[in-house]
């Protein structure tokens, strides 16, 4: 197996993602926002984008640390098992810690729970267009009643290809067989470097200052 360089999972602001296999539970639902007083000011989009980035980066750092430790100890094939059993609880714990709803979604899912919905597919499409034009994928913010959701791109690096690259070139046979065993309907291979793997979605309650 190829030597593995320890690095954090990245999305557009600097971490790498190997596997999208987490979803949120009902316990992660954001608390209803407190009605704003008449003189309260709604926070601007830039504030939510900054906060969402911090939450996504915090969660991704925890996932990345645990995942790279798993790879170091037992290899990439074991990391597939790790993602299958541990990514959900870790993401869930970070959602509770930050009191937000954290999830990762994609248009090429490994786990069906990570399949992007119609509006998320539009965001993915816009970010892919950014990359095709040689630009960095722009974070996006969607406002709804009592909540806002910030979206951040997850892009691939060389390390990601060990589980998401070309099955004949990047993924060893043992790892590929493990993926097919755990995810018979897997669609999350065939990526190259610097392609859009998915997006972080960070749902936050509306706040005022």
């Amino acid at each position: 197996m190829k030597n593995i360089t320890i690095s954090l999972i990245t999305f557009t602001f600097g971490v790498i993602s190997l596997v999208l296999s987490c979803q949120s539970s009902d316990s992660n639902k954001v608390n209803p926002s407190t009605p704003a007083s008449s003189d309260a000011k709604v926070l601007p989009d830039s504030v939510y984008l900054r906060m969402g980035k911090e939450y996504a980066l915090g969660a991704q750092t925890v996932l990345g640390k645990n995942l790279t430790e798993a790879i170091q100890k037992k290899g990439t094939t074991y990391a597939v098992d790790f993602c299958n059993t541990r990514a959900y609880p870790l993401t869930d714990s970070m959602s509770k810690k930050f009191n937000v709803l954290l999830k990762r979604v994609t248009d090429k899912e490994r786990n069906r729970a990570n399949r992007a919905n119609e509006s998320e597919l539009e965001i993915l499409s816009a970010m892919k267009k950014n990359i095709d034009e040689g630009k960095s994928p722009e974070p996006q913010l969607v406002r709804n009643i009592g909540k806002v959701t910030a979206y951040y791109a997850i892009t691939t690096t060389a390390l990601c290809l060990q589980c998401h690259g070309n099955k004949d070139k990047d993924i060893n046979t043992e790892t590929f067989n493990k993926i097919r065993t755990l995810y018979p309907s897997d669609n999350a291979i065939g990526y190259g470097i610097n392609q859009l793997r998915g997006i972080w979605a960070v749902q936050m309650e509306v706040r005022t200052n």
Side-chain angles (χ1 to χ4, degrees):
M1 186 175 63
K2 301 176 182 177
N3 293 330
I4 300 168
T5 302
I6 300 177
S7 59
L8 296 178
I9 300 181
T10 188
F11 41 123
T12 49
F13 43 89
V15 225
I16 41 180
S17 168
L18 288 180
V19 183
L20 277 161
S21 60
C22 66
Q23 73 182 78
S24 55
S25 64
D26 289 341
S27 62
N28 292 336
K29 290 181 179 178
V30 177
N31 294 330
S33 60
T34 303
S37 61
S38 58
D39 58 347
K41 295 181 179 179
V42 177
L43 296 179
D45 290 359
S46 59
V47 174
Y48 289 110
L49 286 171
R50 184 175 67 250
M51 291 192 300
K53 177 179 175 179
E54 292 174 358
Y55 298 143
L57 180 57
Q60 196 68 49
T61 298
V62 170
L63 288 172
K65 178 178 180 295
N66 282 270
L67 184 56
T68 51
E69 286 177 354
I71 293 173
Q72 272 198 313
K73 290 178 180 178
K74 297 186 179 181
T76 307
T77 302
Y78 173 73
V80 178
D81 273 315
F82 168 86
C83 288
N84 181 256
T85 60
R86 294 296 300 149
Y88 282 86
L90 285 171
T91 305
D92 183 70
S93 67
M94 297 306 291
S95 291
K96 292 176 181 177
K97 176 180 178 179
F98 297 135
N99 192 31
V100 298
L101 176 63
L102 288 162
K103 66 175 182 176
R104 292 177 293 172
V105 296
T106 180
D107 56 346
K108 292 179 63 177
E109 73 278 5
R110 177 153 286 169
N111 187 318
R112 289 185 179 181
N114 298 116
R115 177 68 183 178
N117 61 34
E118 186 174 348
S119 61
E120 291 164 343
L121 287 172
E122 291 179 2
I123 292 172
L124 282 160
S125 179
M127 290 185 176
K128 284 182 179 180
K129 183 178 180 181
N130 288 154
I131 293 175
D132 290 342
E133 294 174 349
K135 304 174 184 176
S136 296
E138 291 292 334
Q140 296 194 30
L141 191 79
V142 176
R143 288 182 178 268
N144 293 300
I145 298 174
K147 63 186 177 181
V148 293
T149 305
Y151 298 93
Y152 307 90
I154 302 170
T155 54
T156 55
T157 66
L159 186 59
C160 306
L161 303 191
Q162 294 180 68
C163 290
H164 294 289
N166 187 297
K167 70 181 182 67
D168 298 319
K169 181 178 66 174
D170 305 307
I171 307 173
N172 68 44
T173 301
E174 182 182 7
T175 300
F176 181 76
N177 290 339
K178 174 63 71 172
I179 291 170
R180 286 305 188 202
T181 298
L182 294 176
Y183 305 100
S185 300
D186 176 52
N187 293 315
I189 63 173
Y191 285 94
I193 295 176
N194 196 36
Q195 292 187 331
L196 189 67
R197 172 73 188 95
I199 52 176
W200 269 106
V202 185
Q203 185 186 107
M204 299 164 277
E205 62 182 12
V206 169
R207 305 180 187 183
T208 57
N209 57 9

